[in-house]
Amino acid sequence: MQKKGNKLSKKFYLRNDVIQVSKDLLGKFLITNKNGIVTGGMITEVEAYAGVTDKASHAFGGRRTQRTEIMFSEGGVGYVYLCYGIHHLFNVVTNEKDIPHAILIRAIEPTFGIEEMLKRRKKINLLPNITSGPGSMSEALGIKVKDSGIDLSGEEIFIEDHEIKIPPKEIISTIRIGVDYAGKDALRNYRFYIKGNKFISRP
DNA sequence: CAAACGATTTTCT
DNA sequence: GAAAATCGTTTGG
């Protein structure tokens, strides 16, 4: 039923324009394969974190710790961060080695393994809020902190191109959410989502 | 070694 | 709409 999906090549992540990569990720499919159970869906909302120049990023100012070390890796790996002790946020690391750019996946449109995702989220019906919001989405996909640093070209967590093109008109850019503390950097239009899609996080 | 904080979500008023 | 929950990471002594 689904068109054949090809995993994104390493080159996709290695580009140095994190904004462009963010836009390109919209319409791609984020898939996880946990214990033989496949879950995933189309990426509908993302946020870019431009490394050392972005106050909202953990790597702002070149801060390099054991946790953020992953972001300094070469693009193409996942960076999972535990926030508020409860939520697992999934990021895609981009750019070259030592340049800590990352893209936070905020929401996807459920496509594969919907039943399993509902079970993980303890929901009965498929509502838009099942995967809208970074923490919720990660839980639905079974992504955990221990997955941080995973190679996205592997078999457990990966991103596929199903040749769905999102017209530039359908891509909305706006300010990010939940980063008010970042001062003027919070006003950067680094958040992107697909126009009209219901599976995006709510204010 | 102790203290403060957060890229969120959920629940209550 | 506002506030609490909750724990690993980070920072300071």
Side-chain angles (χ1 to χ4, degrees):
Chain A
M1 85 171 229
Q2 277 293 332
K3 208 165 190 177
K4 181 180 178 181
N6 300 306
K7 280 178 193 160
L8 296 180
S9 70
K10 197 88 176 170
K11 284 181 186 170
F12 182 91
Y13 304 105
L14 294 181
R15 284 177 293 166
N16 59 15
D17 186 350
V18 69
I19 303 302
Q20 187 60 49
V21 177
S22 298
K23 290 178 182 172
D24 287 349
L25 276 178
L26 292 175
K28 297 293 186 292
F29 285 69
L30 173 64
I31 318 283
T32 64
N33 186 342
K34 298 281 185 179
N35 304 317
I37 302 172
V38 177
T39 55
M42 187 178 75
I43 297 171
T44 57
E45 184 179 357
V46 300
E47 270 184 22
Y49 284 86
V52 298
T53 64
D54 187 351
K55 204 169 185 178
S57 170
H58 291 151
F60 171 71
R63 214 161 25 128
R64 191 163 181 160
T65 65
Q66 190 173 16
R67 181 183 61 163
T68 63
E69 186 68 27
I70 305 294
M71 285 201 282
F72 289 84
S73 305
E74 194 172 77
V77 300
Y79 167 53
V80 183
Y81 162 64
L82 181 63
C83 185
Y84 290 83
I86 313 170
H87 308 292
H88 303 261
L89 311 192
F90 178 72
N91 301 252
V92 175
V93 176
T94 69
N95 219 312
E96 303 170 17
K97 190 170 173 26
D98 295 330
I99 300 181
H101 286 188
I103 299 167
L104 170 68
I105 309 298
R106 294 191 62 85
I108 66 173
E109 179 175 328
T111 307
F112 306 105
I114 291 174
E115 286 185 16
E116 178 64 18
M117 290 194 279
L118 288 172
K119 195 187 295 180
R120 285 175 183 151
R121 294 275 291 135
K122 296 173 183 165
K123 304 275 185 184
I124 301 171
N125 299 313
L126 176 59
L127 299 172
N129 69 358
I130 182 177
T131 53
S132 58
S136 304
M137 182 213 69
S138 297
E139 185 180 9
L141 294 182
I143 295 173
K144 311 222 181 68
V145 169
K146 77 178 280 201
D147 293 317
S148 195
I150 194 169
D151 187 341
L152 296 181
S153 62
E155 295 300 321
E156 205 166 334
I157 299 177
F158 48 92
I159 297 175
E160 289 184 342
D161 182 358
H162 286 230
E163 296 186 21
I164 291 178
K165 293 272 203 295
I166 308 298
K169 276 187 190 171
E170 305 293 308
I171 297 179
I172 308 297
S173 67
T174 182
I175 63 172
R176 289 175 291 186
I177 295 175
V179 291
D180 296 347
Y181 66 90
K184 65 176 199 238
D185 280 334
L187 300 177
R188 295 191 188 193
N189 291 348
Y190 279 2
R191 173 173 169 241
F192 305 96
Y193 63 91
I194 298 175
K195 183 181 182 182
N197 194 290
K198 295 178 180 55
F199 296 89
I200 61 174
S201 62
R202 282 229 180 162

